[in-house]
């Protein structure tokens, strides 16, 4: 299977080259955020405050890592279910977020917002937290430290394996692949 | 009368929490190996290989398989002739969870109030189901339950006239909607009968039945076989990215119910279906 190497930040031009079904290895800086961090970012926007960072051309990884063992920089760090962030994602895409890494399907509203903002959605293997931890080379908490595992972390990854699930044209691997393997019942 | 000290209980529970999160039981590993052998999708094969490889990394590095180390569910079977010495059984079980999650560097995923949502900081409280039985043994079963899959679970109060067909339809609907988000290939626990909460508790405990072990009732075994085959015909596949392995196993439990009812609960577990059991 051909593997596409990509580096962050990810420009629109690079994003548009990616196609649903591409296997990628991501290297560079990505940012972690999940439920509580998203909620807090939206509350900031509602109050007219700035976000803790500029998301232009950046990727958000939906993860709440385990604590690091002594001598390690982070614990197991696999993806969490993306759908819970659907309600918040378009706001961030409109602020030039390049894409998201998680697992599971996205809402129609998110997919439409992705298409109008040329964003990409990647999935990685859920539950593979121990394996993905190995790809993380540095970790720094940049916002909401009180949220613990849900704080926003700036992490540097190397050859982080993922699959392009929804591309900038709205092609969705969850739909296209499933059709190929749906069978008529023999009983 | 037999006595068990609370410190012994705390230590066992702590060890079990770490063990469950770091090593997957043999039936689950075997189930995934078989799935890899039968998978027709290229994406699916690669994903299953990644899952198996992740188990090895977790074991060798002694870190959790998945970062969602779950909310702990316990099934405790308490022999009525047993004496717990030195304190409360409930407190000892909860203290064991707190110890295991701290010492095992496991993620603390429990919030104190569902609306205020402040983390309790030690992954307690666990949800504990007790059963008092004859004898003097203490049996503890621990299922750290991840919520990617828990969130896709469902319960429905069917009518008696819905019958077997209604149950099949509801289970398959739940699998179809849930499995792409639930880290397929999933394990499906089903509880049919009893009351609303009885069905749900049966569905949860059904997840701890080893893969490949059927319900001893013939018509329920046939239902398990049907649901497994029908689920895998959906095409959803590993991580929802297409394939013939959406479900590794369907475990159905039944209980007598009311003349007016047919409760059905479906509890979904991801492929990291953690369960350990010890008898003290």
């Amino acid at each position: 299977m051909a593997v596409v190497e990509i580096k962050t930040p990810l420009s629109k031009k690079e994003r548009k080259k990616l196609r649903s079904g591409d296997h990628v290895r991501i290297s560079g800086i990505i940012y972690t955020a999940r439920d509580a961090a998203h909620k807090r970012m939206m509350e900031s926007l509602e109050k007219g405050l700035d976000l803790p960072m500029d998301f232009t051309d950046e990727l958000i990884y939906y993860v709440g890592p385990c604590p690091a063992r002594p001598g390690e920089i982070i614990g197991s760090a696999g993806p969490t279910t993306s759908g819970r962030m659907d309600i918040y994602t378009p706001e961030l895409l409109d602020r030039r977020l390049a894409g998201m890494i998680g697992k599971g399907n996205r809402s129609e509203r998110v997919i439409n917002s992705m298409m109008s903002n040329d964003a990409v959605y990647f999935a990685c293997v859920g539950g593979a937290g121990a394996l993905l931890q190995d790809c993380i080379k540095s970790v720094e908490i940049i916002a909401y430290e009180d949220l613990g595992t849900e704080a926003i972390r700036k992490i540097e990854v190397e050859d982080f394996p993922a699959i392009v699930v929804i591309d900038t044209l709205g092609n969705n691997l969850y739909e296209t692949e499933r059709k190929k393997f749906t069978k008529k019942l023999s009983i | 009368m037999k006595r068990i000290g609370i410190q012994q209980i705390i230590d066992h529970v702590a060890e079990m929490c770490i063990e469950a999160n770091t090593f997957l039981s043999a039936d689950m590993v075997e189930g995934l190996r078989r799935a890899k052998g039968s998978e027709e999708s290229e994406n699916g094969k690669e994903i299953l290989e990644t899952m198996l490889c992740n188990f090895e990394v977790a074991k060798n590095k002694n870190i959790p398989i998945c970062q969602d180390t779950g909310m702990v569910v316990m099934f405790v079977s308490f022999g009525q002739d047993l004496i717990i010495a030195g304190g409360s059984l409930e407190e000892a079980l909860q203290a064991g969870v707190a110890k295991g999650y701290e010492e095992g560097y496991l993620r603390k995923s429990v919030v104190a109030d569902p609306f205020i949502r402040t983390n309790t900081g030690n992954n307690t409280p666990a949800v504990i189901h007790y059963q008092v039985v004859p004898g003097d043994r203490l049996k503890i079963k621990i299922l750290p339950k991840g919520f990617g899959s828990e969130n896709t679970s469902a319960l429905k109060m069917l009518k008696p006239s819905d019958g077997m067909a209604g149950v099949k339809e509801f289970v398959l609907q739940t699998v179809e909607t849930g499995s792409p988000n639930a880290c397929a290939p999933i394990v499906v626990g089903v509880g049919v009968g009893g009351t609303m909460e009885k069905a749900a508790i049966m569905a949860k405990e059904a997840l701890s039945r080893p893969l490949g072990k059927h319900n001893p009732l013939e018509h329920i075994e046939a239902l398990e076989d049907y649901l497994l085959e029908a689920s895998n015909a959906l095409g959803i596949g590993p991580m929802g990215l297409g394939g013939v392995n959406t479900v590794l196993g369907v475990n159905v439990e039944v209980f007598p119910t009311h003349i007016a009812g047919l409760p059905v609960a479906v509890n979904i577990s991801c492929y990291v279906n953690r369960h350990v059991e010890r008898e003290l």
Side-chain angles (χ1 to χ4, degrees):
Chain A
M1 218 170 269
V3 171
V4 185
E5 310 266 341
I6 59 175
K7 292 226 177 316
T8 60
L10 204 57
S11 67
K12 269 197 185 187
K13 196 178 147 200
E14 294 301 312
R15 272 129 67 183
K16 283 184 183 173
K17 287 186 203 159
L18 295 170
R19 281 293 161 262
S20 171
D22 285 351
H23 286 239
V24 300
R25 296 285 178 274
I26 303 168
S27 298
I29 300 290
I30 60 177
Y31 294 86
T32 74
R34 49 171 292 156
D35 309 57
H38 275 77
K39 185 162 183 272
R40 221 177 254 192
M41 286 194 280
M42 293 305 126
E43 285 164 359
S44 292
L45 292 176
E46 276 164 25
K47 289 181 199 152
L49 302 170
D50 284 339
L51 293 179
M53 54 162 301
D54 177 4
F55 282 111
T56 305
D57 294 343
E58 304 292 359
L59 294 177
I60 287 182
Y61 178 28
Y62 300 136
V63 60
C66 281
R69 280 192 167 274
E72 303 269 3
I73 55 168
I74 198 166
S76 283
T80 193
T81 309
S82 311
R84 292 194 314 275
M85 269 54 78
D86 280 353
I87 189 165
Y88 309 119
T89 301
E91 286 281 350
L92 299 175
L93 292 171
D94 288 343
R95 283 169 178 75
R96 296 183 291 279
L97 178 69
M100 299 75 64
I101 309 168
K103 67 173 172 86
N105 226 330
R106 306 309 304 254
S107 69
E108 207 181 318
R109 186 170 155 257
V110 169
I111 297 172
N112 287 337
S113 171
M114 284 177 59
M115 287 162 71
S116 51
N117 289 292
D118 295 315
V120 184
Y121 172 53
F122 303 91
C124 44
V125 178
L131 202 64
L132 293 169
Q133 180 229 28
D134 256 357
C135 305
I136 299 174
K137 302 303 165 192
S138 73
V139 181
E140 182 194 344
I141 293 182
I142 60 157
Y144 313 149
E145 189 163 6
D146 61 299
L147 293 180
T149 184
E150 295 202 65
I152 297 186
R153 289 170 170 81
K154 178 179 175 179
I155 63 176
E156 188 189 350
V157 294
E158 206 174 276
D159 293 326
F160 186 94
I163 301 172
V164 178
V165 173
I166 304 171
D167 61 25
T168 56
L169 301 174
N171 296 309
N172 185 347
L173 203 61
Y174 288 121
E175 287 166 10
T176 49
E177 284 303 296
R178 185 183 162 186
K179 281 181 199 145
K180 298 179 192 167
F181 300 98
T182 306
K183 294 195 161 115
K184 280 218 168 75
L185 269 193
S186 59
I187 45 173
Chain B
M1 270 182 147
K2 189 178 156 185
R3 299 166 81 89
I4 299 181
I6 55 159
Q7 193 56 48
Q8 196 188 343
I9 296 169
I10 295 172
D11 292 343
H12 273 286
V13 169
E15 277 175 27
M16 289 164 80
C17 289
I18 296 171
E19 183 190 323
N21 275 297
T22 315
F23 311 99
L24 202 59
S25 56
D27 62 310
M28 291 302 305
V29 176
E30 183 50 36
L32 278 161
R33 283 210 185 105
R34 269 203 310 270
K36 197 188 140 202
S38 66
E39 187 49 62
E40 295 169 17
S41 137
E42 285 305 315
N43 281 334
K45 266 187 241 173
E46 190 174 310
I47 289 167
L48 290 163
E49 174 62 33
T50 304
M51 290 168 174
L52 287 163
C53 179
N54 182 56
F55 296 151
E56 287 305 306
V57 175
K59 193 161 57 175
N60 295 337
K61 292 183 82 168
N62 200 22
I63 62 173
I65 297 162
C66 176
Q67 77 292 334
D68 184 354
T69 49
M71 182 169 195
V72 175
V73 178
M74 274 191 231
F75 288 91
V76 175
S77 139
F78 180 84
Q80 63 190 26
D81 298 332
L82 178 66
I83 291 172
I84 302 293
S88 124
L89 173 60
E90 170 81 22
E91 280 171 22
L93 295 168
Q94 300 289 3
V97 171
K99 183 171 190 260
Y101 274 70
E102 193 53 40
E103 291 178 357
Y105 296 89
L106 308 179
R107 194 179 79 181
K108 288 78 180 171
S109 312
V110 176
V111 293
D113 179 288
F115 296 107
I116 301 167
R117 306 197 77 84
T118 309
N119 200 298
T120 62
N122 62 9
N123 219 54
T124 68
V127 174
I128 308 176
H129 305 287
Y130 295 94
Q131 195 185 8
V132 179
V133 296
D136 61 1
R137 310 288 291 183
L138 181 65
K139 222 158 82 180
I140 303 172
K141 193 155 43 173
I142 288 188
L143 289 75
K145 190 66 180 70
F147 259 56
S149 54
E150 189 74 356
N151 281 340
T152 67
S153 303
L155 183 141
K156 196 167 179 185
M157 304 303 283
L158 295 179
K159 295 188 289 293
S161 62
D162 293 324
M164 192 62 103
V167 169
K168 286 177 179 172
E169 191 190 337
F170 179 61
V171 174
L172 289 174
Q173 224 172 49
T174 308
V175 167
E176 184 168 13
T177 322
S179 49
N181 286 349
C183 290
I186 56 175
V187 178
V188 184
V190 182
V192 186
T195 47
M196 186 190 81
E197 85 287 1
K198 178 69 184 174
I201 294 168
M202 284 194 292
K204 177 74 70 197
E205 194 165 15
L207 291 174
S208 68
R209 195 205 302 161
L211 277 185
K213 200 176 158 202
H214 274 295
N215 188 301
L217 298 169
E218 207 176 310
H219 65 299
I220 304 303
E221 177 174 353
L223 174 63
E224 292 175 339
D225 284 340
Y226 172 82
L227 289 171
L228 181 65
E229 189 171 344
S231 300
N232 285 330
L234 293 170
I236 296 167
M239 294 310 295
L241 291 173
V244 299
N245 288 284
T246 305
V247 172
L248 293 172
V250 183
N251 296 340
V252 183
E253 296 294 335
V254 292
F255 194 81
T257 191
H258 189 278
I259 46 173
L262 182 59
V264 190
V266 183
N267 197 201
I268 305 285
S269 172
C270 60
Y271 70 92
V272 189
N273 181 26
R274 296 159 284 204
H275 50 93
V276 294
E277 199 176 324
R278 283 189 193 179
E279 196 177 278
L280 313 185

